[in-house]
Structure formats: structure tokens, C-alpha cells
């Protein structure tokens, strides 16, 4: 970026603040960098001295962009200029009166229980790749992991757990810790994978072997663990074998399936919120739109007045 030399450290301070104080992920930091770079290319001068008019011109330039893209760009600019104002690098915030575009509510995609069963049944082979993929699927569907949480799981998170405590302690989005319970089928799938895990470690370059060995799912590349993209590719390939449109499936879709099916089988939203690692119950509530009859069935099953009405009707 074309910041003046004396201002380069300001941008570095901003990214450090977002990473260590706000706990944003590497992917989010990368998005901030990309958004600020795009804005800098548009204004063609130092980011520090931007005016409100230039911000408005930039947003007009983006008027045909997707609402989600526009919202993210505005959010990136807001965060940066609020930081400059707070740290007294500016006396004003040129984004203060800019409003975020209204986002249409999108219901998350998920698989039916029958589709999930077909996915698992498609894994009938006993080769090393299939055994690893089964472990990945079991963890995604049984634990509701985010794919980044899954691929970065340290080996110790599973091997050091107590046999009497079938759950994992993980660090999720924003550095928040949570407990992820695992069912017996999932545990067995991972234990089966651990027996053939050396097969994947043998492929790792000797220079990277020490780091790769720390992860539950080591890889030959950089980073030294399986990537999000690779997991997505493996699941889409499996979807074809299960006669499921690969466009309709991803690791995150399995996370949504986990939450939706839990709700369908009587789990409450607060429990699902804890399992998913959501910071706000409002994020979890979207699943009630996917399963609209769930709340009605819940109150019919558990509310004492409804039970009284049934008894009176029977009498």
C-alpha cells in the first residue's frame, strides 16, 4: 500500500490490534488487507488522509457489487478509521455516517438425514484415504466443527483426553474455548484412523515432519496439516459417489446438518449454541426457520397447560 513511510507502522499496529485484541482469524485479516488495498488503489494516495467525500465516491464505485461484498468493504473501512480515531492518528472518522446495506436473510444449506446416511454409506472402502475421510466426516457431523477448527486440531487434543470423558477441548473462532462431545461411533472412527495415521506421516518431507506430527491430520504441504480446501474437495468427490450434487455440499453444510438434526431431535438452542461455539444466541436461532415445526412440537410436548387440555379433552 502507498502509505507514507512514517505511517506504515500505523497499518501494522491496526492488524496487530485486530489479531491480538479482537482475536480475528487469519482469513479475516487477509480480507481486511485486501479491502484496504482495494480502497487505496481507488483513492491513489495515503489512506491516513482520506476524506468523507472520497469514502462516498468509493462506495458509489462499488454500487453494483454484491450487498455482502459492499457490507464487508464498509466494515473493513469502519474498523480501520475507528482505530485511527481512537489512537489519535486522526481527529475524525470519515466512515461515521456510512450505513451498512441491509443483508437479505439467507437460510443455511444443510443435508437431510437420509443424505448424510448416503454419504457415510458411500465410504465402503478400507484404504487409508477412506479411513481418514470417515474420521473427518464423523468429526464434522458428530461435533459440528468449523472446518478450520478440524484441520488444525492438535494430535494431543484427542490422544490426551480421558477415556471416561468422550469430548474434546478446542479453541475456536476468536480464540474462544469450548467442549465438543463425541459419540462412540465418532471416537471409533478416529481411533481407527490413528492406527493408519503413520501412512500419511511417511509422506511428509523430513524437514516438515516434526511440525506435521503435531496435528491430528498431518499433510505434506504448507501448512503441515490438511487444508480447508482439500477437505472440501474430498467431501465433494464423495458426494458424487453418494449421488448428491457436490454444489450442495461443503464442510460447513455438514456443520449446519449437525445443528439442524440436533434441533429436530429435541436439543434446545442454548445447547446447540454451546456446541457450535456461537457468541450470540441470535446466530443459532436461524435454525428455527429451517425447522419451523420444532418450536410448536416442543411446546405441545412439554407445556403443562397443553397437557391439561389433552386430559380434559380425553375426559
Amino acid at each position: 500500500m502507498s502509505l507514507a513511510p512514517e505511517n506504515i507502522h500505523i497499518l501494522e499496529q491496526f492488524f496487530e490490534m485486530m489479531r491480538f485484541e479482537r482475536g480475528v482469524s487469519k482469513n479475516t485479516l487477509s480480507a481486511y488487507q485486501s479491502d484496504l488495498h482495494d480502497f487505496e488503489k481507488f483513492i491513489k494516495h495515503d489512506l491516513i488522509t482520506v476524506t468523507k467525500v472520497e469514502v462516498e465516491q468509493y462506495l458509489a464505485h462499488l454500487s453494483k457489487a454484491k450487498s455482502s461484498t459492499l457490507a464487508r468493504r464498509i466494515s473493513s473501512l469502519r474498523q480501520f478509521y475507528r482505530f485511527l480515531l481512537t489512537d489519535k492518528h486522526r481527529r475524525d472518522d470519515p466512515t461515521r455516517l456510512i450505513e451498512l446495506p441491509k443483508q437479505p436473510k439467507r437460510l443455511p444449506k444443510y443435508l437431510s438425514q437420509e443424505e448424510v446416511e448416503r454419504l457415510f454409506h458411500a465410504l465402503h472402502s478400507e484404504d487409508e484415504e477412506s479411513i481418514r475421510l470417515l474420521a473427518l466426516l464423523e468429526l464434522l457431523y458428530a461435533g459440528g466443527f468449523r472446518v478450520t477448527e478440524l484441520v488444525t486440531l492438535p494430535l494431543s487434543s484427542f490422544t490426551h483426553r480421558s477415556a471416561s470423558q468422550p469430548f474434546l477441548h478446542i479453541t475456536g473462532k476468536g480464540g474462544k474455548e469450548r467442549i465438543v462431545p463425541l459419540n462412540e461411533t465418532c471416537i471409533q472412527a478416529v481411533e481407527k484412523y490413528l492406527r493408519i495415521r503413520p501412512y500419511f506421516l511417511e509422506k511428509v518431507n523430513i524437514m516438515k515432519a516434526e511440525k506435521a506430527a503435531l496435528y491430528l491430520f498431518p499433510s505434506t504441504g504448507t501448512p503441515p496439516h490438511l487444508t480447508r480446501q482439500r477437505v472440501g474437495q474430498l467431501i465433494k468427490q464423495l458426494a458424487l459417489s453418494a449421488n448428491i450434487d457436490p454444489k450442495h455440499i461443503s464442510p460447513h453444510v455438514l456443520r449446519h446438518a449437525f445443528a439442524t438434526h440436533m434441533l429436530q431431535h429435541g436439543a434446545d438452542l442454548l445447547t446447540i449454541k454451546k456446541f457450535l461455539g456461537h457468541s450470540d444466541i441470535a446466530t443459532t436461532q436461524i435454525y428455527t426457520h429451517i425447522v419451523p415445526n420444532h418450536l410448536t412440537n416442543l411446546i405441545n410436548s412439554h407445556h403443562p397447560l397443553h397437557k391439561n387440555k389433552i386430559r380434559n379433552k380425553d375426559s
Side-chain angles (χ1 to χ4, degrees), residues 127-130 132 193 196-210 212-213 217-226 230 234:
D127 62 276
E128 290 86 356
E129 295 283 348
S130 297
R132 181 180 67 174
Y193 157 71
I196 58 94
R197 180 173 169 270
Y199 167 82
F200 296 99
L201 274 174
E202 288 170 2
K203 296 182 177 183
V204 178
N205 183 298
I206 192 169
M207 299 295 291
K208 298 179 180 179
E210 187 175 350
F217 296 102
S219 175
T220 58
T222 302
H225 56 71
L226 208 58
R230 183 56 182 155
L234 292 171

Side-chain angles (χ1 to χ4, degrees), residues 139 145 150 153-161 165-171 177-182 186-187 190 216:
L139 286 167
F145 282 89
L150 179 59
L153 269 178
L155 175 65
S156 59
S157 66
F158 194 88
T159 56
H160 289 182
R161 67 181 180 82
Q165 297 176 325
F167 53 77
L168 301 182
H169 289 273
I170 71 164
T171 301
E177 294 185 357
R178 73 178 191 275
I179 293 175
V180 177
L182 305 175
C186 178
I187 292 172
V190 178
L216 182 58

